[in-house]
Amino acid sequence: MDTTLLKGLTVLEHLAQSEAPRGLTDLARALGLTKSNVHRTLQTLAAAGYVRAEPGGYACTLKLFELASPVVARIDVRQVADPFMHALAAVTQETIHLSLLDRTEVIYLHKVESPHPVRAYSSIGGRAPAHCVASGKALLAYQEDEALRHFHDPLPTFTPRSIGSLERLRGELEQVRARGFAINRGEWRDSVCGLGAIVQDRMGKPVAAISISGPADRLKLAVLRRFSAVVVDTARDLSRALGHNPALRMPALPGRPGSGRRTAATLKPCQASAVPPPGPGRSRTAGS
């Protein structure tokens, strides 16, 4: 065990639970450490931005809040999203994913399986290349331009339909912003297609994407477009449940005139009951 790290975490936790700044001598006595140890630890935490000196001692900065907020948001999104995902699965009869963006990949945070024996295979915690799946493209479309710096030309390709260049990816993301949803046309797995839309938090920030995926022979382009409104509506309703005002548009991003024109919050709602589920399949397929 790294005792130096353990001491640092102990000091940080003690300060976080204190209602007022704590002095050096006070901390050393409360934690059973020498003043020199506590002093070195506080100096390190201050240099890293986690604590600061104030009248009366040391106190935590908001960096702890910044560090914890994404974790809390992920937990909240998953819990709130579950009934929306089950409702979408009931309408589409396809696998539903809730995904997060991590640089060049998406991570599957939650899923609801399709009842069909032939379905998209994936696992919670699994990853997929963001530029090749619908949820990834939906999330990338509403990031700042610098988010694409993590991608390098040529882009990795996995099927003949994969987007292989940044120029093509930028063009695809412009289309996503224009129509409010993204489509995967078998770009990661030949046999799997999908459609996704962004989920926004109360600040209008895209925090996740909700998507449907299934076998390409069942989710043909015409079927995907037929499902697009109910997917976008589900993303909008989930965003509202997270505190987002659906009357607001996504702010325009630098160099992206398409931003904010037509998003999940501004598309016309559809009646979910009007969307007929596709026919049954026969076996399980790999990919998502």
Side-chain angles (χ1 to χ4, degrees):
M1 184 180 297
D2 189 328
T3 56
T4 301
L5 176 60
L6 185 59
K7 289 175 185 176
L9 292 173
T10 301
V11 171
L12 191 60
E13 289 172 359
H14 199 76
L15 285 176
Q17 294 166 2
S18 298
E19 296 182 359
R22 304 293 295 273
L24 182 61
T25 302
D26 185 22
L27 282 170
R29 186 187 306 114
L31 300 175
L33 301 172
T34 66
K35 288 203 293 186
S36 60
N37 267 339
V38 174
H39 182 263
R40 285 195 300 270
T41 300
L42 289 170
Q43 293 303 305
T44 301
L45 291 172
Y50 287 97
V51 305
R52 62 170 174 261
E54 294 186 353
Y58 289 83
C60 287
T61 67
L62 288 178
K63 190 166 184 177
L64 277 179
F65 174 77
E66 294 170 1
L67 197 64
S69 291
V71 178
V72 174
R74 286 195 290 270
I75 296 172
D76 288 348
V77 169
R78 178 172 175 168
Q79 292 174 343
V80 176
D82 187 71
F84 293 92
M85 294 174 67
H86 277 88
L88 184 58
V91 172
T92 65
Q93 297 289 289
E94 298 296 350
T95 297
I96 311 301
H97 289 113
L98 183 72
S99 307
L100 305 173
L101 182 66
D102 183 21
R103 293 183 176 239
T104 63
E105 298 178 313
V106 293
I107 303 173
Y108 296 121
L109 180 65
H110 192 27
K111 69 179 292 191
V112 176
E113 290 277 17
S114 166
H116 293 301
V118 176
R119 57 183 181 263
Y121 175 74
S122 62
S123 59
I124 295 176
R127 292 172 176 263
H131 69 289
C132 293
V133 294
S135 56
K137 289 190 283 186
L139 284 163
L140 285 172
Y142 295 97
Q143 304 300 312
E144 299 291 343
D145 280 334
E146 64 180 19
L148 293 183
R149 76 181 189 278
H150 300 300
F151 293 84
H152 302 287
D153 261 332
L155 299 175
T157 57
F158 303 89
T159 77
R161 298 182 183 86
S162 298
I163 296 173
S165 70
L166 276 173
E167 181 180 2
R168 280 190 58 201
L169 178 59
R170 288 191 176 94
E172 178 85 1
L173 299 183
E174 177 63 25
Q175 293 181 37
V176 172
R177 289 187 290 274
R179 66 190 175 214
F181 58 87
I183 293 176
N184 166 17
R185 306 170 184 85
E187 296 159 50
W188 185 32
R189 299 288 185 262
D190 267 318
S191 58
V192 179
C193 293
L195 183 144
I198 61 162
V199 176
Q200 298 165 253
D201 65 10
R202 61 188 181 84
M203 303 300 294
K205 179 181 177 182
V207 292
I210 194 166
S211 61
I212 63 171
S213 60
D217 59 356
R218 194 162 67 227
L219 284 183
K220 299 183 185 300
L221 188 58
V223 176
L224 285 172
R225 292 191 179 281
R226 184 154 47 97
F227 283 147
S228 63
V230 71
V231 173
V232 167
D233 284 351
T234 301
R236 179 206 60 209
D237 292 342
L238 175 53
S239 298
R240 182 189 289 120
L242 292 171
H244 177 61
N245 183 350
L248 300 177
R249 295 184 176 188
M250 284 289 295
L253 298 177
R256 296 182 179 178
S259 316
R261 285 186 299 170
R262 196 178 181 197
T263 71
T266 59
L267 288 175
K268 181 180 178 181
C270 74
Q271 295 295 325
S273 60
V275 184
R282 287 192 294 268
S283 62
R284 187 180 180 93
T285 187
S288 66

